[in-house]
Amino acid sequence: MGQLNAGIVPVTAFQQNCTILFDMDDRQAVVVDPGGDIDKVLAALKDNAINAGAIWITHGHIDHAGGAMELKEALGIEIIGPHEADRPLLANLEKQAKHYGITDPVRNCVPDRFLSEGDTVSFGQHAFEVLHCPGHAPGHVVYYNRAAKFAHVGDVLFRGSVGRTDLPGGDHAALIASIKDKLLPLGDDIGFICGHGPGGRFGEERRSNPFLI
């Protein structure tokens, strides 16, 4: 099995961490949360000779899914995730764009496959367990690679903070439960990439994140 690696392409005015997870040996990959600026994402793939085989979505907010349909058509690949509870958000991305005054092209997203707790997704030899972690969004999922001790947590958890819950479908109690009941028990040594800003390790968040103490 080749080494699992990650590259981040910050996209849109939200500076969302569109993440390319790829295998160092065979250059196979998936793109997680292409929120926009798809030209930048395509350039990153081309410049590094990486072949993306799918798009994985953590949740249905515009900064994470706004460019998914454009990337799907550009590469001819499937959109996988999030949980079906985010179907209404994905069906209203164009309305989200108007709300935020976004003028770049945004299209409502129709995934090829929704995900549920306990599902597994993979590319090459890299398998990820799917954790349904509502709170920031009803259908938010986390992708966890047990072998690499790595998780892509989207907007559930940040370094020193947690996802906002004042948007439609947000639930602060559910968010904290998702973190404490599903993420932190995976172990202090689990490294994570989040949807915005720098990542970290679960142990440091367990010990010092003011929202979790």
Side-chain angles (χ1 to χ4, degrees):
M1 182 185 297
Q3 180 182 347
L4 177 66
N5 236 352
I8 292 175
V9 182
V11 296
T12 79
F14 296 100
Q15 288 295 284
Q16 194 276 124
N17 291 334
C18 176
T19 306
I20 300 171
L21 300 175
F22 65 98
D23 186 290
M24 283 293 291
D25 291 347
D26 64 16
R27 316 304 284 183
Q28 298 301 305
V30 293
V31 178
V32 183
D33 288 353
D37 294 335
I38 297 306
D39 55 335
K40 295 181 181 179
V41 180
L42 292 170
L45 293 170
K46 181 179 180 181
D47 292 348
N48 292 282
I50 293 172
N51 179 35
I55 298 162
W56 294 354
I57 304 294
T58 62
H59 65 291
H61 290 157
I62 191 169
D63 52 330
H64 293 256
M69 294 297 284
E70 182 182 349
L71 186 61
K72 169 187 170 76
E73 292 186 355
L75 298 178
I77 58 180
E78 291 189 339
I79 299 172
I80 299 173
H83 187 280
E84 192 165 8
D86 268 11
R87 184 191 292 270
L89 289 174
L90 296 169
N92 285 280
L93 290 175
E94 293 166 18
K95 290 184 178 179
Q96 289 186 47
K98 291 180 180 178
H99 174 77
Y100 287 108
I102 295 171
T103 57
D104 293 338
V106 171
R107 290 161 54 194
N108 295 336
C109 179
V110 182
D112 295 280
R113 173 188 167 197
F114 285 105
L115 296 170
S116 299
E117 176 81 17
D119 285 348
T120 300
V121 292
S122 62
F123 69 94
Q125 299 181 58
H126 302 286
F128 289 73
E129 300 169 36
V130 174
L131 305 174
H132 180 210
C133 294
H136 175 68
H140 200 303
V141 297
V142 165
Y143 299 99
Y144 169 52
N145 186 293
R146 189 175 297 271
K149 296 184 177 181
F150 164 78
H152 194 300
V153 300
D155 284 0
V156 173
L157 177 67
F158 300 110
R159 183 185 291 186
S161 188
V162 297
R164 61 187 294 185
T165 55
D166 58 338
L167 299 171
D171 184 326
H172 185 75
L175 179 73
I176 299 303
S178 290
I179 296 169
K180 290 188 173 182
D181 297 344
K182 293 188 178 182
L183 298 187
L184 298 187
L186 297 175
D188 283 358
D189 57 345
I190 303 300
F192 68 88
I193 288 175
C194 46
H196 306 266
R201 293 193 180 277
F202 286 170
E204 182 61 27
E205 301 312 308
R206 181 183 59 77
R207 289 186 292 268
S208 65
N209 190 311
F211 292 91
L212 304 177
I213 296 174

